[in-house]
């Protein structure tokens, strides 16, 4: 169990200014089927909980239960083929939810609805179809359902029937968002009110609202520069308080306003990012961070008591997730819940009045158990389960997951998560090096991960390194990955295998490498660069040619991203042409001789399918042991349940055959 769960944030500074038998293996469907229960969320007053429940016919039902008597329930909405992707409360009586219809358009088709908790007064707020127009219903009556260039932004948290939506504007060069504007939308009347009648900065990518749901901070991005704009009030002028190189400069990122309208920002501190209070009058950070976690960038969210108007706790992720409570009431509740649910990480959320909560919602999980939801009632100390996402999974069938750091060949400390097969495995075992995508993101945490546990349940040690270029472990670790595709980033992966083999856990002659997106690229380059280490590989949605990242017309990559972001972190197609040729798997496909499984979505716009088809053709000239599958109506990752199940069955068979 990780440090964060054992010794809760000893390094956090907060100031208040045996392998499983074949018959015991859970089925592929148990890991990758649609969740049985999902999106549980507590109402603002804490009197109700809404959740998404899978029906017996494979559909979805949005269910509301009374926290005082969980047997009292109502169904707010049901869907058969369309999938609900997000659920939230508008107020104590009304819900909002986002639906994606996989049969339409594929890209963008997110519909927004609102409904009373008893299933009445359902209103279609935003159409997800780009063919939808606000057509006239009569001589002077217009369809008020908003068009697909609108999207949900946030709640108002004032008890009204309103939500905040944003309207996107697009440039004339590509299919990416250039800016956005905020509106207040009544979920009953569909009345739309502009929140920025006096104007706004150009090229706004995101917004921060104050405690009164007014736009106060605008985050802009243009030509590789990230700006922060602020206004003191609705009638005040916007002024720029920060303008930095988005990648080269130390991060300064406003995160939220608290209920007293104090601004909090993520900023650089001792080589990592921490959370600070920011004085908007003096335009300066507090001298000491509000939250800092040694060895990790700040990543988390605060829990606020909107009645008492104060921050009462901070949910954080270091090597694992956990919560630091500043409020004695919630700290006591956490202790009681942890005693009732031992051995799991229990994330507690409350409503607007956390000092006197009628009920709290508990999201419980561990390295060996997927998320389950509970309602805990402080008045009587009872906890009641609402169900779990994957109820067929049993902890005894899963392996332990641990966090380590090791020194790469140049001395850089590389974080890594290791998931062992279930039981008490002895001796060196076959392994899978599972490479995260991005690559400039954090890849893993200690908590349940379906892919890692599925592979471990099949008898493999699973290695998940946070190679250089990954975020979350300080700026230097991130920057060390710049222009290192196929080079030092790849070295970190090979070093991970050698480190694990040195520990006696892994049989270095039986290792597969696999991943999606950048992870797909790394799988291909790993087999090309280190054929003695990697016996076979699996890649899906993978990049196969660095030049194609800049030239593929089907891509949704913006012109700005190609000119500034990609050239900084990957390289310049002209100046770095020799490097691109050397470290593009497509150019070296003839060198890949090991068994390979390739999968790609035909509608992928982030890494268009041309990456896969060209590589498949090139590698097949010299390698007959290549399996290929193209999934229709899938993009950059597997959205449909049938796809996920089919793909992972193929992976299971492929690894059993070749590893």
């Amino acid at each position: 169990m990780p440090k964060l769960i054992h010794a809760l944030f000893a390094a956090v500074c907060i100031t208040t200014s045996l392998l499983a038998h074949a018959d015991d293996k859970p089925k592929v469907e148990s890991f990758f089927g649609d969740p049985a229960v999902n999106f549980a969320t507590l109402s603002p007053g804490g009197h109700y909980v809404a959740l998404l429940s899978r029906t017996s016919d494979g559909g979805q039902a949005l269910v509301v239960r009374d926290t005082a008597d969980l047997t009292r329930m109502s169904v707010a909405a049901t869907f058969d083929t369309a999938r609900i992707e997000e659920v939230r409360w508008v107020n104590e009586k009304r819900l909002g939810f986002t639906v994606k219809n996989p049969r339409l358009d594929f890209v963008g088709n997110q519909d927004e609805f609102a409904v009373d908790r008893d299933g009445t007064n359902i209103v279609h707020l935003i159409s997800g179809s780009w063919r939808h127009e606000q057509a006239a219903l009569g001589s002077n009556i217009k369809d008020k359902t908003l068009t697909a260039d609108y999207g949900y932004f946030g709640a108002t948290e004032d008890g009204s029937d309103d939500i905040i939506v944003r309207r996107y504007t697009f440039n004339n060069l590509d299919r990416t968002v250039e800016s956005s504007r905020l509106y207040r939308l009544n979920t009953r009347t569909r009345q739309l009110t502009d929140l920025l009648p006096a104007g706004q900065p150009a090229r706004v990518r995101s917004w921060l609202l104050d405690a009164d749901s007014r736009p106060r901070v605008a985050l802009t991005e243009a030509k590789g520069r990230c700006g922060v704009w602020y206004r003191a009030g609705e009638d005040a002028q916007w002024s720029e308080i920060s303008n930095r190189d988005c990648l080269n400069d130390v991060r300064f990122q406003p995160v939220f306003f608290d209920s007293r309208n104090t601004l909090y920002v993520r900023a650089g501190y001792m080589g990592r990012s921490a959370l600070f209070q920011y004085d908007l009058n003096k335009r300066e950070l507090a001298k000491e961070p509000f939250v800092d976690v040694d060895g990790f960038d700040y990543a988390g969210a605060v829990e606020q008591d909107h009645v008492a108007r104060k921050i009462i706790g901070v949910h954080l992720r270091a090597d694992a997730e956990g919560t630091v409570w500043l409020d004695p009431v919630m700290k006591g509740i956490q202790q009681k819940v942890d005693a009732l649910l031992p051995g799991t990480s229990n994330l507690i959320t409350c409503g607007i009045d956390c000092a006197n909560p009628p009920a709290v919602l508990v999201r419980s999980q561990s390295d060996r158990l997927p998320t389950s939801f509970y309602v805990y009632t402080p008045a009587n100390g009872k906890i009641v389960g609402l169900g779990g996402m994957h109820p067929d999974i049993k902890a005894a069938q899963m392996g332990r997951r641990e966090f380590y750091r090791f020194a790469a060949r140049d001395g850089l400390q590389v974080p890594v998560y290791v998931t062992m097969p279930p039981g008490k495995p002895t001796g060196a075992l076959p392994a899978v090096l599972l490479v995260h995508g991005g690559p400039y993101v954090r890849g893993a945490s200690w908590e349940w991960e379906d892919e890692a546990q599925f592979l471990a349940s099949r008898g493999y040690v699973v290695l998940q390194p946070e190679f250089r270029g990954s975020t979350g472990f300080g700026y230097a670790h991130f920057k060390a990955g710049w222009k290192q595709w196929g080079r030092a980033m790849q070295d970190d992966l090979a070093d991970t295998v050698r480190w694990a083999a040195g520990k006696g856990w892994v049989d270095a002659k039986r290792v597969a490498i696999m991943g999606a997106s950048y992870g797909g690229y790394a799988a291909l380059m790993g087999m090309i660069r280190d054929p003695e280490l990697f016996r076979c590989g699996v890649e899906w949605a993978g990049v196969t040619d660095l030049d194609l990242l800049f030239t593929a017309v089907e891509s949704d990559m913006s012109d700005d991203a190609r000119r500034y972001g990609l050239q900084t972190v990957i390289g310049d197609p002209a100046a770095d042409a020799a490097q691109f040729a050397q470290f593009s798997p497509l150019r070296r496909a003839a060198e890949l001789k090991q068994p390979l499984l390739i999968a790609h979505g035909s509608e992928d716009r982030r890494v268009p399918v041309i990456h896969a088809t060209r590589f498949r053709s090139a590698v097949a000239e010299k390698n007959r042991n290549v399996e290929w599958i193209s999934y229709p109506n899938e993009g950059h990752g597997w959205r449909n349940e049938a796809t996920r199940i089919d793909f992972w069955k193929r992976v299971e068979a492929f690894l059993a055959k070749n590893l």
Side-chain angles (χ1 to χ4, degrees), residues 123-127 132-137 140-147 150 185-186 188-192:
V123 177
H124 191 187
L125 302 171
I126 301 172
S127 172
H132 171 77
E133 298 179 0
Q134 290 184 303
L137 302 178
N140 60 354
I141 302 175
K142 215 171 199 182
D143 180 359
K144 289 185 177 181
T145 303
L146 296 176
T147 50
Y150 286 86
L185 175 66
N186 186 283
R188 295 189 186 276
T189 66
R190 291 188 286 200
Q191 180 179 344
L192 195 67

Side-chain angles (χ1 to χ4, degrees), residues 22-38:
D23 293 341
D24 293 335
K25 297 176 183 177
K27 296 179 179 179
V28 173
E29 291 84 350
S30 300
F31 294 88
F32 301 108
D34 288 338
V37 174
N38 204 0

Side-chain angles (χ1 to χ4, degrees), residues 388-425:
M389 295 180 68
H390 298 289
D392 293 341
I393 299 294
K394 310 302 179 187
Q397 297 174 312
M398 300 295 108
R400 293 290 184 183
R401 187 169 167 84
E402 299 288 350
F403 177 77
Y404 303 91
R405 295 179 193 261
F406 73 91
R409 65 188 67 181
D410 63 355
L412 181 78
Q413 289 292 306
V414 178
V416 58
Y417 287 90
V418 179
T419 307
M420 299 297 289
K424 296 181 179 180

